[in-house]
Amino acid sequence: MQHPQRLLNDVLWNFKDKTYSSLSEFLIALLTYNENIFGEDFEFDKDEKVLESTQVVIQYSYWDEEKEDDIEPDFLLTADNGEFFTQGELIFKVHNKVQEKLQDQDNSFFEGLLLWEGENPNNPNVPLYFVMQGS
């Protein structure tokens, strides 16, 4: 199955914020953040189908002070509806998974997701996306 090369490129976010207990609470913060930066209403359809897959592997990076090295963990997400991910669900779940490790990092800004086109041996047939991070 073909998956989009890039996802959520037009969404700005900073992972330094807290974790969120609900999607609705997260979406209010996301909309407010984008509207403050753009200075206008931010068009974001939380229910738009963004990835037609029941699961996705997400990888990101952070600097580990103790190991003095860049760490690149990954994690598996499963779509709530068992069919596909919506924009809102995907960025909400990514935020809550990476927030703790990225809250004190310089590269905590979300710049979209980029598809890895190589093999994913730990999860064959599951798309793997890298979190594009900026500072």
Side-chain angles (χ1 to χ4, degrees), residues 30 34 36 40 45 53-54 58 71 73 88 96 101 104 133:
L30 180 75
N34 280 268
N36 286 341
E40 57 187 44
D45 181 358
S53 178
T54 59
I58 303 292
I71 308 297
N96 278 347
K101 294 292 185 188
D104 296 324
Q133 298 166 233

Side-chain angles (χ1 to χ4, degrees), residues 9-84:
N9 289 347
D10 55 350
V11 177
L12 302 178
W13 185 242
N14 187 339
F15 293 118
K16 289 184 184 272
D17 207 7
K18 64 180 184 173
T19 56
Y20 290 88
S21 58
S22 72
L23 176 58
S24 59
E25 178 190 15
F26 173 77
L27 289 172
I28 290 169
L30 180 75
L31 292 175
T32 302
Y33 183 84
N34 280 268
E35 288 172 359
N36 286 341
I37 290 173
F38 289 118
E40 57 187 44
D41 287 346
F42 179 65
E43 299 295 322
F44 182 78
D45 181 358
K46 68 177 178 54
D47 297 321
E48 181 180 327
K49 183 189 303 184
V50 70
L51 182 60
E52 195 145 345
S53 178
T54 59
Q55 294 185 310
V56 63
V57 174
I58 303 292
Q59 187 170 10
Y60 68 106
S61 68
Y62 68 93
W63 180 258
D64 187 302
E65 289 292 336
E66 289 179 18
K67 295 179 181 177
E68 294 185 356
D69 198 10
D70 227 4
I71 308 297
E72 295 184 342
D74 63 44
F75 53 90
L76 181 68
L77 296 177
T78 301
D80 289 344
N81 64 18
E83 294 179 38
F84 59 85

Side-chain angles (χ1 to χ4, degrees), residues 13-16 102-103 105-110 133-135:
W13 185 242
N14 187 339
F15 293 118
K16 289 184 184 272
L102 295 182
Q103 65 184 345
Q105 300 285 308
D106 288 336
N107 62 344
S108 66
F109 292 93
F110 179 76
Q133 298 166 233
S135 53

Side-chain angles (χ1 to χ4, degrees), residues 85-99:
F85 286 91
T86 63
Q87 290 192 111
E89 175 188 12
L90 186 55
I91 193 168
F92 168 65
K93 286 182 172 182
V94 168
H95 170 81
N96 278 347
K97 285 287 199 178
V98 305
Q99 187 276 330

